[in-house]
Amino acid sequence: MKYFLATVSFLFSFISVAFIVGLFILVLFSPSPQLAFVGVGLSWKLLPGTLLGFWAGIHSARMALHESEDKERKRRGKDES
């Protein structure tokens, strides 16, 4: 269950950060006719959002796994007493 939560957390963070950074880049630079969408990609306009989204997703997944490990340790401590 904790890996499912970490995966969902990664995907949500990755997509939302990539979308928000993509919107910011789209507003900052005028859109070209070929590239008028916001999302994940390797274009120079989409790469910052992709990289920041990937970093935020990894951080979010690690925090989700870390919190579940702390809860599991506390539960084990109560069971042993």
Side-chain angles (χ1 to χ4, degrees):
M1 185 66 178
K2 64 182 178 181
Y3 294 111
F4 176 74
L5 177 64
T7 303
V8 170
S9 177
F10 172 83
L11 289 174
F12 180 75
S13 297
F14 176 64
I15 291 170
S16 61
V17 169
F19 184 75
I20 290 170
V21 172
L23 281 177
F24 180 73
I25 297 281
L26 188 67
V27 168
L28 193 61
F29 302 105
S30 63
S32 65
Q34 301 156 345
L35 185 67
F37 67 93
V38 176
V40 177
L42 296 177
S43 166
W44 72 270
K45 288 184 179 180
L46 298 177
L47 191 60
T50 301
L51 293 177
L52 288 173
F54 189 70
W55 178 77
I58 289 174
H59 180 70
S60 178
R62 289 181 70 194
M63 294 309 298
L65 288 174
H66 182 68
E67 289 177 6
S68 65
E69 288 174 1
D70 286 344
K71 289 179 184 177
E72 191 172 316
R73 275 192 215 127
K74 287 179 184 178
R75 189 169 11 114
R76 285 183 187 169
K78 289 180 182 177
D79 291 343
E80 292 175 0
S81 325

